Amino acid sequence: MSPKNTFPAALKTVRKARGLSQEAFSDVSSRTYMSSLERGLKSPTLSKVAELCEVMDVHPLTLLTLAYGGDSKGVSEVIERVRRELAAIQARKGK
């Protein structure tokens, strides 16, 4: 499944895990916008993802990793892939 389809579920999962209602985001988004995000009707900008994550007190990569990974096995695979890619980028940066 593409992140476009899984981001809404990840957002809702993190929001509920943090015990937050859609109204808790009123300083950064309307309840209608939150509902649209969670139903996959809209896609947030990176800036909006950062604002949402600030309200949920999670790093944006936590939310995105959940969106890309889905379950715990998938999340572990995403984290490992990111580690490998970052190491390769850092290795090339020094050359």
Side-chain angles (χ1 to χ4, degrees):
M1 232 179 208
S2 76
K4 181 175 174 135
N5 296 329
T6 58
F7 180 84
L11 177 60
K12 189 172 187 177
T13 296
V14 175
R15 177 180 63 77
K16 287 188 169 195
R18 293 298 200 194
L20 298 169
S21 67
Q22 290 178 340
E23 289 80 14
F25 295 82
S26 63
D27 287 345
V28 297
S29 295
S30 69
R31 190 203 56 75
T32 303
Y33 182 69
M34 285 299 295
S35 177
S36 295
L37 289 175
E38 290 184 356
R39 290 183 292 138
L41 301 176
K42 297 201 181 244
S43 296
T45 63
L46 285 176
S47 296
K48 184 56 71 175
V49 169
E51 290 175 355
L52 298 172
C53 288
E54 190 171 314
V55 173
M56 295 185 291
D57 195 29
V58 297
H59 193 283
L61 290 179
T62 301
L63 178 59
L64 295 175
T65 300
L66 186 58
Y68 277 86
D71 61 14
S72 61
K73 181 178 185 243
V75 165
S76 295
E77 290 172 359
V78 169
I79 291 170
E80 186 51 40
R81 178 178 176 176
V82 169
R83 281 188 181 132
R84 286 191 313 269
E85 290 172 353
L86 287 171
I89 291 167
Q90 290 298 315
R92 289 186 185 151
K93 182 179 166 185
K95 292 183 179 183

